[in-house]
Amino acid sequence: MTDTTVPTFDLTELRDGHRRDEFRECLREKGLFYLTNSGLTEQDHEAAREIAVDFFEHGPEEQKQAATHPVQTIRRGFTRLESESTARITNTGKYTDYSMSYSMGVDENLFPTPEFEAVWQRYFDSLNVAAKDVARQVLAAVDARPAGGVEELLDCDPVLRLRYFPEVPEDRIAEKQPLRMAPHYDLSIVTLIHQTPCRNGFVSLQGEVGGRYVDLPATPDAVLVFCGAVATLVSDGAVKAPLHHVAAPGEDKRVGSGRTSSVFFLRPSLDFEFSVARAKELGFNVDLPVETATFNDWIGGNYINIRKTADAR
C-alpha cells in the first residue's frame, strides 16, 4: 500500500543530521513535509496576517489602487479577488483563483502604510532566513551540487504572498467548480506555507502524494514545505516538486470556509540557468525555443496569463 502520510521534521534535528535517510526518502517520493522549529512563532505569522486582512477588508479604495502594480505580471502589492487564474497559467481551465493577495519581494515594493511596511519587512526577513536554512538541508540531504555552489543559488529573489480566501459564493461551491485554485507545482527552490484553518473544519489545501491528492491541514507551530521545480532541477531529479491545489468546499461546507495562506517562495535569481530539455525530461512544462533558459525566461512564459484581462471577466 502506498504511504500517503505527510511527515513532520524538526529543523534543529535536520541541521544536526538526524533522520537523514527518512528525510531523503521523503524528498524523493513526496517532496512535501511539515516543519517545526522554523524560527518563526505563531505571533510572527499573526501580526503580518492581521494587518494584511485588515487592509483587504477595510483599506480605502485609493490606497488599494496605489498598492496595485501597473505591470500585471510582477508580483508586488495588492491583487484583487479573482483577478488571477492559475488554471490559465497551467492550461487546465479558465476559472479564476478565488482569492485576493498582497505580495512583496526584496525591492520595488508597494506598501499601503509605513506600519504595514514595518510589520511585513520583519516577517519577510524572518521567512527568508528560515527558507534558506530549509533549502540548505534539502540540497545537502540529496547531495545536490548546483553550478556555483549552494550559497550562490541562495543569493536569490524570494517572493512573499499572503493569500486571503473568502467564503466562496454559490457559483464556486465544489458541486459547480471543484477548485479554488488549479493544480500546479511551484517555481521555487522551496516554498514555506503557514495557513489558518477554515472555521468549519474544511481542509482546502491538498497535495499529490502517492498518486492521489491528500488533505494538508493547518498544523499549530509548524509550516508546510513544498519543494519546488528548481530543487528538482539542481538535484537532477532527486527531489520531487509535488502538484498541489486548493479545493472548493461543497454546499454543506460553504459557510465558514474562509482561510488565509502565507506563502514564501524561495526563488532563484532571475539569471539562474537550466537545460530546457532536462526540465522537460523531469516533467516540467517549459515551452521555450532554446537549449538553455534562465529563470526569468521561465517565469515570463508562465506568468504571462496570470491576470484575467478585462474582456475575459
Side-chain angles (χ1 to χ4, degrees):
M1 181 180 294
T2 302
D3 179 12
T4 58
T5 59
V6 178
T8 299
F9 295 95
D10 182 294
L11 183 55
T12 302
E13 290 185 346
L14 291 178
R15 288 196 203 103
D16 292 339
H18 299 306
R19 301 174 66 190
R20 182 56 60 92
D21 290 343
E22 182 185 353
F23 188 47
R24 185 182 302 111
E25 178 75 6
C26 171
L27 297 176
R28 182 176 66 248
E29 298 296 329
K30 299 175 181 179
L32 71 160
F33 54 92
Y34 287 99
L35 184 79
T36 56
N37 280 327
S38 66
L40 284 93
T41 68
E42 290 296 314
Q43 290 71 32
D44 293 327
H45 298 295
E46 181 180 7
R49 179 177 68 248
E50 286 191 348
I51 199 168
V53 172
D54 181 69
F55 171 67
F56 294 153
E57 294 182 339
H58 307 296
E61 178 58 29
E62 61 271 20
Q63 210 173 66
K64 290 179 177 178
Q65 288 279 9
T68 301
H69 202 285
V71 180
Q72 294 185 338
T73 54
I74 293 179
R75 288 185 162 182
R76 294 291 190 273
F78 177 59
T79 303
R80 296 178 186 276
L81 183 66
E82 289 195 279
S83 64
E84 294 184 351
S85 174
T86 301
R88 288 177 180 268
I89 297 172
T90 56
N91 294 316
T92 56
K94 296 184 178 179
Y95 58 93
T96 60
D97 299 345
Y98 199 79
S99 69
M100 64 182 72
S101 67
Y102 177 82
S103 308
M104 73 166 287
V106 174
D107 52 23
E108 299 184 22
N109 293 302
L110 298 171
F111 296 110
T113 65
E115 180 188 7
F116 192 112
E117 178 178 3
V119 171
W120 266 64
Q121 190 64 62
R122 285 194 299 271
Y123 189 47
F124 180 92
D125 292 343
S126 297
L127 280 166
N128 196 23
V129 170
K132 288 183 178 181
D133 205 348
V134 174
R136 290 186 186 99
Q137 306 313 315
V138 167
L139 299 175
V142 297
D143 196 26
R145 300 181 183 183
V150 170
E151 293 308 311
E152 182 173 316
L153 176 68
L154 298 184
D155 183 12
C156 55
D157 186 31
V159 171
L160 169 60
R161 308 197 89 192
L162 191 289
R163 281 191 178 271
Y164 175 40
F165 297 87
E167 290 182 4
V168 297
E170 289 288 347
D171 66 342
R172 289 298 298 263
I173 59 174
E175 291 84 351
K176 297 181 179 179
Q177 174 48 256
L179 298 178
R180 295 189 198 190
M181 184 182 297
H184 61 283
Y185 49 79
D186 286 345
L187 299 185
S188 65
I189 306 167
V190 294
T191 303
L192 271 55
I193 298 178
H194 181 275
Q195 50 179 334
T196 56
C198 296
R199 184 164 45 86
N200 62 15
F202 176 67
V203 177
S204 195
L205 181 61
Q206 299 178 329
E208 188 273 313
V209 180
R212 67 184 181 90
Y213 279 91
V214 301
D215 288 346
L216 300 171
T219 301
D221 300 313
V223 293
L224 183 63
V225 179
F226 284 111
C227 296
V230 177
T232 304
L233 290 173
V234 299
S235 68
D236 200 33
V239 174
K240 180 178 180 179
L243 288 170
H244 46 287
H245 64 213
V246 180
E251 174 59 34
D252 62 329
K253 290 287 188 179
R254 187 183 74 81
V255 176
S257 63
R259 58 182 281 269
T260 64
S261 184
S262 173
V263 188
F264 190 86
F265 301 94
L266 190 67
R267 307 190 318 176
S269 64
L270 294 178
D271 58 3
F272 167 78
E273 293 186 339
F274 64 95
S275 163
V276 172
R278 186 57 179 146
K280 290 179 178 179
E281 290 172 357
L282 291 169
F284 300 124
N285 181 20
V286 186
D287 187 20
L288 295 169
V290 292
E291 293 183 5
T292 301
T294 65
F295 188 69
N296 189 52
D297 297 330
W298 198 1
I299 62 172
N302 275 266
Y303 293 168
I304 194 69
N305 295 318
I306 194 167
R307 298 277 181 94
K308 288 178 62 181
T309 60
D311 58 359
R313 290 178 185 270

